[in-house]
Amino acid sequence: MDLSPPTATQTTALQQIEQLLAVARSGKMELPVLMDRAGALQAAGLGEAAALLYQNWIVATPSPFRHVACFNWGALLGNLKKHEQAEAAYRLALSMAPTFAQAHLNLGHQLEHLGRHEEALAEWQGVIDQELPKLPEHPDSLDLVLHAMNNSARMLETQKRYAEAQALMRRSLELKPTQGDVAQHYVHIRQKQCDWPVYQPVGEVTHNQLLVSTSLLAMLSETDDPALQLMAAQRFVHEKVVKYTEQPFHKRFGAKREGKIKIGYLSGDLCMHAVGLLTAELFELHDKERFEVHAFCWSRDDGTPLRARILGSMDQHTRLHGVDDLTAAKLIAEAGIDVLVDLQGLTSGARPNILAYRGAPIQVSYLGLPATSALPGVDWIIADRFVMPPEYLPYCTERPIYLPHSYQVSDRKREVGAMPTRAANGLPEDAFVFCSFNNNHKYSEEMFSSWMRIVHAVPGSVLWLLADNEWAKANMLRVAAEHGVSAERLIFAPRAQPQDYLARFQLADLFLDSFPYNGGTTASDCLWMGTPILTRSGRSYISRMAGSLLSAVGLPDLITFSLPEYEQRAIQIGSNPARAASYKRYLREQGHQSHLFDMPATVRSMEDEFERLALEHRQRR
């Protein structure tokens, strides 16, 4: 704590604030003057003083506009993250003006921050009920209704109340079709529910408008067309990413780069997450004689051994939670990072603006987004020649750093649970078990229909699936019935702890990969546990991931390149269980010794490329 006496400037500022408070307490300050002075204080970074000014004015001034002052007071308190006090301010405003819709909306946000979700939803529903009947005669009500609907839909989606969320999104788009963000969520929530066809027009919103509004993550599940994927990435960058054209931060703030090469990993997923599960051994295997390894992360502290293991393998860890993007980029530059590896891309929780400021001279995309990000701060992407063939390169803004066998690292120390039984998992003992444990949003209508034809063609076979939610399960069962596949032939697995999830792969005979969004971590887990995967490879990085893994593990004959070939191969293997057993025997006896799981060699190859790029840059300076 700084106990030094205030400077003359600080003393003058304190005196001015006290004078303002005295006028506010007198009851003689006009509301416009109050708002002007409070705004000036807030602009000067004195939010606490601005809130105190409102508080004193409200107590002392019997104005008919006190509810407006209370609203502004609540907004200030909310910005200061004083959510309980903000709630009280909004409730005071509403005690004076019960139909003050904006106060109900903001009160809902404070209740959300306080974890009182049902109360927040009730506030927003009240606004909908109050303002919707006023349309179209009162067009100002439209923004209030849309605000309430869209935030309710967002909250319901996070609670996995997908049907309610989707209904609100549809109503919102019917009222105002030109809401790109709402259309984006509408597409993805249909994917999560396997609500096919995903591009279901609503109101005046056409198929093409939904396509253009599709997020990159959702686009990866919809098509292997690299041009459409690039379009989705570029749209996000255009709308959301800062346009920084000044001197890169690594030049403005960077320390002199000498000695060991410094590698920084940028991520919000260095915890119990697919990225964390894949990368733990990568960090441990870095050659600390040649490299200094830093983590720059805003990952949740989930208390897991995995999180502790990841951070324990770092030379330095800089926590970026609560640190703004500009400051984060400056910290990276000041640390003298040579190579910054972004493990997030444009996935959930990403902070692409950190990369836009270019805190490191070499910035590389890896794992989190197996596609082009179109981010102006990212020049390289780690790949192999299978996932990024020459014909794919024109659709990527990054240049490839090719690893010799497969792009993917994994963890050979992953914990495996006890061997389960088929009976305990609801599987028939003598059936051929196809499985697919990818997330439901990766299931396309085309591929699921293909799986139904495969199951129908292999007598007695079953398909073992994850069901992320009740709507996805219901929609899958509906499509199964349309293909003449009875409900008992689809067996739905619940979520499980990582070690138990790994163990149950051993019960399946053949994993059916999704397309165009292949399995990544899931495919690695499956092969590590000795279960073969049948994949279909397409035109994009993400649609060729499992093919890369199968090539490196020594099973290229399980890679197909068209839907008819995929179906034919699956039916052949399902009709000949001995063939599946031979694949399992090969993986059990030789899989762990293959190139795919030779992590020391993979890490050395990656390090050699990082060192080459870093030294080239150092020599140019």
Side-chain angles (χ1 to χ4, degrees):
M1 181 182 295
D2 185 3
L3 298 178
S4 58
T7 65
T9 301
Q10 290 171 330
T11 300
T12 301
L14 290 171
Q15 291 172 343
Q16 291 173 344
I17 291 170
E18 188 52 48
Q19 289 170 3
L20 282 174
L21 292 173
V23 178
R25 286 192 292 266
S26 74
K28 297 179 180 179
M29 182 182 281
E30 296 292 331
L31 179 61
V33 175
L34 167 68
M35 294 169 65
D36 178 71
R37 300 297 186 272
L41 288 170
Q42 188 178 15
L46 300 171
E48 296 272 6
L52 188 60
L53 185 63
Y54 270 109
Q55 181 180 0
N56 279 267
W57 189 92
I58 291 164
V59 170
T61 310
S63 167
F65 301 109
R66 286 176 71 223
H67 65 288
V68 176
C70 289
F71 177 85
N72 292 350
W73 184 33
L76 278 167
L77 292 167
N79 288 337
L80 293 168
K81 302 190 185 305
K82 296 184 176 182
H83 302 302
E84 291 181 347
Q85 294 177 41
E87 177 194 354
Y90 288 125
R91 291 198 185 281
L92 183 57
L94 289 166
S95 71
M96 304 171 197
T99 60
F100 190 2
Q102 290 89 342
H104 282 290
L105 291 173
N106 283 17
L107 174 57
H109 288 297
Q110 301 313 308
L111 294 168
E112 179 182 7
H113 284 300
L114 293 168
R116 291 151 59 188
H117 296 150
E118 290 303 318
E119 293 178 61
L121 289 169
E123 291 295 329
W124 294 329
Q125 185 60 51
V127 172
I128 295 169
D129 294 340
Q130 174 183 295
E131 300 296 325
L132 191 58
K134 298 179 182 179
L135 298 175
E137 288 79 9
H138 297 84
D140 290 347
S141 293
L142 179 60
D143 286 342
L144 300 172
V145 170
L146 295 178
H147 184 132
M149 283 184 173
N150 295 341
N151 280 284
S152 296
R154 173 185 54 78
M155 182 180 288
L156 290 165
E157 184 176 4
T158 62
Q159 295 178 329
K160 294 194 173 183
R161 294 162 64 177
Y162 294 145
E164 296 170 78
Q166 182 175 325
L168 281 170
M169 291 177 198
R170 288 186 61 88
R171 187 71 181 105
S172 178
L173 289 169
E174 287 167 352
L175 290 170
K176 185 178 180 181
T178 57
Q179 299 179 87
D181 284 350
V182 180
Q184 174 178 308
H185 283 276
Y186 171 70
V187 169
H188 195 41
I189 205 168
R190 290 181 66 81
Q191 288 179 326
K192 290 177 179 179
Q193 299 171 94
C194 299
D195 196 356
W196 302 309
V198 167
Y199 291 122
Q200 180 65 49
V202 52
E204 297 177 14
V205 184
T206 65
H207 181 129
N208 186 62
Q209 287 172 307
L210 291 173
L211 178 66
V212 171
S213 298
T214 302
S215 69
L216 178 57
L217 178 63
M219 192 69 81
L220 298 179
S221 296
E222 278 305 302
T223 178
D224 71 327
D225 186 336
L228 287 175
Q229 294 179 5
L230 176 60
M231 177 204 73
Q234 288 175 324
R235 180 180 63 81
F236 178 90
V237 170
H238 175 72
E239 294 176 357
K240 307 290 186 181
V241 178
V242 66
K243 309 299 186 292
Y244 182 75
T245 57
E246 299 177 33
Q247 188 180 41
F249 274 29
H250 67 83
K251 291 184 178 180
R252 288 179 62 187
F253 306 109
K256 184 177 181 181
R257 289 171 174 80
E258 55 188 1
K260 292 181 182 179
I261 304 298
K262 293 184 178 180
I263 304 172
Y265 288 95
L266 183 70
S267 181
D269 295 327
L270 299 183
C271 53
M272 188 56 69
H273 181 276
V275 169
L277 289 165
L278 278 180
T279 54
E281 192 175 8
L282 160 65
F283 306 136
E284 293 172 339
L285 287 172
H286 272 309
D287 183 352
K288 299 302 179 69
E289 296 297 318
R290 298 165 60 200
F291 300 92
E292 186 175 298
V293 184
H294 295 239
F296 296 91
C297 84
W298 54 97
S299 312
R300 67 184 186 278
D301 287 316
D302 56 12
T304 59
L306 177 66
R307 169 87 171 148
R309 181 182 163 201
I310 290 171
L311 295 185
S313 64
M314 298 292 174
D315 293 303
Q316 291 193 42
H317 168 221
T318 302
R319 190 88 169 107
L320 296 183
H321 182 73
V323 178
D324 66 83
D325 295 339
L326 190 147
T327 302
K330 187 177 178 182
L331 290 171
I332 292 165
E334 290 173 341
I337 300 301
D338 293 283
V339 180
L340 183 66
V341 183
D342 174 39
L343 296 172
Q344 199 89 28
L346 300 182
T347 57
S348 178
R351 297 178 59 179
N353 286 333
I354 295 175
L355 295 154
Y357 295 114
R358 292 183 178 266
I362 298 146
Q363 298 191 152
V364 181
S365 175
Y366 188 42
L367 282 182
L369 180 69
T372 187
S373 67
L375 289 173
V378 180
D379 301 313
W380 301 91
I381 185 170
I382 295 176
D384 59 61
R385 295 185 186 277
F386 188 92
V387 291
M388 287 188 74
E391 56 269 27
Y392 178 60
L393 298 183
Y395 302 97
C396 294
T397 60
E398 307 89 349
R399 288 171 287 175
I401 296 174
Y402 283 129
L403 299 184
H405 300 293
S406 178
Y407 77 96
Q408 193 188 82
V409 293
S410 61
D411 181 17
R412 297 170 301 167
K413 301 178 183 178
R414 58 194 114 182
E415 182 184 350
V416 179
M419 178 67 182
T421 64
R422 281 194 168 187
N425 284 272
L427 299 169
E429 294 291 345
D430 56 351
F432 190 93
V433 177
F434 296 105
C435 78
S436 188
F437 292 153
N438 290 332
N439 289 325
N440 291 168
H441 72 81
K442 299 181 182 180
Y443 294 176
S444 68
E445 182 176 19
E446 178 189 54
M447 288 305 292
F448 191 83
S449 295
S450 173
W451 295 346
M452 293 305 95
R453 291 191 290 271
I454 291 165
V455 170
H456 191 272
V458 179
S461 64
V462 297
L463 179 58
W464 194 18
L465 299 159
L466 280 181
D468 288 333
N469 58 80
E470 60 185 280
W471 302 280
K473 180 177 179 180
N475 283 320
M476 284 188 269
L477 287 171
R478 173 181 55 79
V479 175
E482 292 171 358
H483 285 82
V485 176
S486 59
E488 59 268 18
R489 296 182 70 183
L490 268 62
I491 298 167
F492 295 97
R495 291 282 176 179
Q497 291 299 311
Q499 63 271 21
D500 297 324
Y501 146 83
L502 282 171
R504 68 187 181 193
F505 275 107
Q506 301 167 93
L507 300 178
D509 296 299
L510 181 66
F511 187 102
L512 296 177
D513 196 19
S514 49
F515 178 90
Y517 200 136
N518 282 181
T521 306
T522 306
S524 173
D525 289 337
C526 184
L527 293 170
W528 180 256
M529 295 309 302
T531 298
I533 300 171
L534 179 68
T535 193
R536 174 184 168 194
S537 294
R539 295 173 288 171
S540 59
Y541 190 129
I542 206 161
S543 70
R544 299 175 68 85
M545 292 193 301
S548 166
L549 272 57
L550 285 165
S551 296
V553 85
L555 292 176
D557 57 320
L558 289 173
I559 305 169
T560 65
F561 296 93
S562 69
L563 191 63
E565 184 187 10
Y566 178 93
E567 287 185 27
Q568 181 185 39
R569 192 76 47 83
I571 293 167
Q572 286 175 345
I573 297 171
S575 302
N576 183 7
R579 184 171 173 181
S582 71
Y583 288 134
K584 297 188 83 166
R585 183 168 58 253
Y586 168 81
L587 288 170
R588 184 172 61 251
E589 295 174 355
Q590 301 183 47
H592 288 190
Q593 287 73 49
S594 68
H595 290 304
L596 179 61
F597 297 115
D598 187 354
M599 287 304 104
T602 299
V603 175
R604 292 294 87 78
S605 297
M606 191 182 301
E607 288 177 337
D608 289 345
E609 292 298 310
F610 288 169
E611 184 176 52
R612 176 181 62 81
L613 292 170
L615 292 178
E616 285 177 359
H617 181 268
R618 287 184 180 186
Q619 290 165 5
R620 288 197 299 269
R621 293 195 66 177

